[in-house]
Amino acid sequence: MIRHIALFKLKPGYDWDHPQVAAAEALAVRIGDEVPELLQWQAGRNVTDRPVAYDYAIVGLVPDEAALGRYLVHPFHQRSADLWKEISTWVIADLVESAA
């Protein structure tokens, strides 16, 4: 299993009331319903206010690297990523999870 994590920081000039941010968030929450490779999906806003904190996070679970690759190129995911590219910077991590 691979846990896919992405953290997004809104670019200057963007906030939660901006229409592009609202559109990106709306797509992000639906990815789990649209991409069949995902076994689990969670997306949401950060609730803490610290200088090092990111604004938004997604966490997904896929069975293996092949599924992760299919998720990454899935058209719905690509559509969402394109919106986030315009309004934010981000970092990712893909962690192998043990079956324990």
Side-chain angles (χ1 to χ4, degrees):
M1 302 283 232
I2 298 175
R3 181 77 56 186
H4 173 68
I5 303 163
L7 304 174
F8 302 87
K9 186 173 286 283
L10 296 175
K11 291 179 181 177
Y14 291 97
D15 61 27
W16 296 115
D17 295 325
H18 194 285
Q20 284 179 278
V21 175
E25 185 176 22
L27 284 182
V29 299
R30 290 183 41 216
I31 289 175
D33 295 328
E34 300 290 336
V35 181
E37 284 75 17
L38 289 162
L39 303 173
Q40 294 176 355
W41 184 256
Q42 183 174 6
R45 296 178 186 184
N46 174 34
V47 297
T48 63
D49 185 21
R50 291 179 279 176
V52 297
Y54 279 72
D55 298 307
Y56 197 81
I58 62 91
V59 182
L61 183 67
V62 294
D64 53 34
E65 287 187 51
L68 179 63
R70 290 190 303 276
Y71 155 77
L72 292 173
V73 299
H74 189 282
F76 196 89
H77 171 261
Q78 288 294 306
R79 188 171 146 210
S80 178
D82 287 344
L83 286 178
W84 283 102
K85 284 177 190 175
E86 292 181 35
I87 63 168
S88 70
T89 58
W90 72 79
V91 295
I92 66 133
D94 295 310
L95 311 174
V96 174
E97 290 196 0
S98 65

